[in-house]
Amino acid sequence: MASFLERASSNSRVQLAATAVASGAVVAGAIFSYQRLQREERVHQLKDSIPSLIDEGEALRRINSFGGASKADREDLRNELLARRAQAGDYDDELILEQLARNRVFLNPDGLEKLRSSFVVIVGCGGVGSHCTAALARSGVSKIRLIDFDQVTLSSLNRHAVATLADVGSPKVQCLQKRLLAITPWVRFDLRQEKFWDEAADRLLAAWEGGQKPDYVVDAIDNIDTKVALLKYCHDHKLPVISSMGAGCKSDPTRIMVGDIGTSTDDGLSRSTRRRLKLLGITKGIPTVYSTEKTGEGKAELLPLPEDEFQKGRVGDLGVLPDFRVRILPVLGTMPAVFGYTAANHVILSVTGYPHDYVPAKGRDKMYDGLLAAVQGGEEKILRHMTGGDASITLGLRVPITSGDMAFLVEEVFKGRSAITGLTARLTLVRWRRPASSILVRIGEGTNEQKSSNVKLHDLVCMTKEESIRHDKEVLRGDKKPEDIYDSATVEKVEATLKDTAKYEKYR
């Protein structure tokens, strides 16, 4: 054995191999140690970027390689201390009046006092909501509740009113409070970092300390479900609210209007909101900020989600929250500001009682009631025809449709035109096809009997009265089908429209 080791030690090749192995082990060890140190450093940086929960006041934001948070700087601390003094009453009121002097002259002292004592809730603190909040705070509103679940991102900075790079990663509600306290330290903020939803509405829209109800609510939400839930709650509880419609894909500030929900057109978010509200029986009474700008060649559109994202699984799982959009919405940074300031302007004028008028609703309530009566009469005719002319069968007959449904069908589905000829005068609604069986639904007996029709929204089509007379005679009470009297293009168009209508009925 000894002789073998001696020969090996004298062999130069063996010596070189041993040296290489030893060197490799040293290098590998150094690499692994370096990688371990790098991982530890990255973990250390990441932990440093997370805000401390020990002192919430110190958990203000700092931009770093991870977009995290750090302690407040001197300016932030100074502003916070000044705000605490101001809100405790240790701030000269003359200084506040001097800062609000131009508004005081414009609104008069009584109007400014109303504004200063008002309580406004802003739901959604992104591009539109942040500019609206900033304008209200600068104008004198002293009690503001901010509701938003989201955080400031780098892409937010092209349209947010006050956010800076240092705010990236921080809650939007906290960012607004921090920046605005440096401008209006006397304003009291109530921050709610959560998504608005119908089951939390009583709590999120509750009164301020002392029982003061919101003087105004600003809807700056870009999600249909939560937007409709907020507007429905405000409508039912008689809370003044103004709703901002879509600023995305808009570029013409001269097309921005303030008008009733029944007048807002040419905007996808507005159209979808109107449809859902009409199905809930709300056809007017909610002021909105919207744009009449039309899409066109060369203009921005909603970007499709890349195909590779679909391959990853359910697209809905990619959103920040369930049911929130995941596609990219092109936004020109100036437009949310115009929408936000327009909403704030309306709130200021409304709260102070300053004279203002917005575009009136279309005044079609009587038309909707007339359409509902026509549907009622049409169902009675069909039932009598199916029962051999028995007039008693229709006594007390009801239809499961409202005037809001009429507004939805005529305005949103058929765009105020006959589905047959496109005419806009003397419109009515009738069944598209003859019922295959009885339309009568009976519940109870004798004097407690309830009778109703089984008509659905997707059974009805919009026609002129002259067209409906022919349709009733030849299809509903005759032996023909729509295919026998209308061309194939018309039939296909109507069938597709009614199919889409059926999808919306779930929101009724």
Side-chain angles (χ1 to χ4, degrees), residues 343-360:
N345 186 79
H346 187 82
V347 171
I348 292 169
L349 299 184
S350 299
V351 168
T352 60
Y354 193 89
H356 67 285
D357 295 306
Y358 55 79
V359 179

Side-chain angles (χ1 to χ4, degrees), residues 78-80 83 90 221 231 250 262 304 309 338 422 453 487 492:
R78 175 186 172 278
N79 293 334
E80 184 179 344
D90 186 14
I221 306 173
L231 297 178
K250 300 294 187 294
E309 296 295 344
V338 182
S453 161
D487 61 75
E492 289 175 5

Side-chain angles (χ1 to χ4, degrees), residues 413-414 432 457-460 492-505:
V413 176
F414 294 104
W432 175 238
L457 297 189
H458 62 268
D459 293 327
L460 300 172
E492 289 175 5
K493 180 182 69 174
V494 172
E495 293 288 349
T497 300
L498 298 183
K499 185 177 180 180
D500 286 340
T501 304
K503 296 177 182 178
Y504 275 93
E505 288 203 81

Side-chain angles (χ1 to χ4, degrees), residues 116-128:
R116 291 186 64 188
S117 61
S118 65
F119 164 35
V120 179
V121 180
I122 293 93
V123 188
C125 298
V128 174

Side-chain angles (χ1 to χ4, degrees), residues 378-398:
E379 293 298 286
E380 292 176 357
K381 283 183 181 180
I382 293 174
L383 186 56
R384 285 195 297 269
H385 176 72
M386 298 180 75
T387 56
D390 182 6
S392 64
I393 195 70
T394 63
L395 292 176
L397 183 70
R398 302 178 185 178

Side-chain angles (χ1 to χ4, degrees), residues 128 132 216-221 227 231 241-248 250 253 255-267 269-271 273-274 286-292 335-347 358:
V128 174
C132 180
Y216 232 97
V217 177
V218 177
D219 161 35
I221 306 173
K227 193 177 198 71
L231 297 178
V241 61
I242 184 168
S243 178
S244 173
M245 298 302 166
K250 300 294 187 294
R255 302 275 183 169
I256 294 177
M257 308 279 290
V258 179
D260 191 87
I261 185 68
T263 68
S264 55
T265 57
D266 302 310
D267 172 73
L269 182 61
S270 173
R271 182 168 56 252
T273 304
R274 277 200 321 270
I286 297 176
T288 60
V289 181
Y290 65 97
S291 172
T292 61
M335 297 306 287
V338 182
F339 274 74
Y341 280 114
T342 303
N345 186 79
H346 187 82
V347 171
Y358 55 79

Side-chain angles (χ1 to χ4, degrees), residues 113-120 141-143 212 215 351:
E113 184 57 34
K114 291 178 182 178
L115 198 61
R116 291 186 64 188
S117 61
S118 65
F119 164 35
V120 179
V141 177
S142 62
K143 294 183 282 292
Q212 181 180 1
D215 293 288
V351 168

Side-chain angles (χ1 to χ4, degrees), residues 233-252:
Y233 184 92
C234 291
H235 180 271
D236 292 348
H237 291 78
K238 294 180 172 51
L239 292 178
V241 61
I242 184 168
S243 178
S244 173
M245 298 302 166
C249 301
K250 300 294 187 294
S251 60
D252 188 350

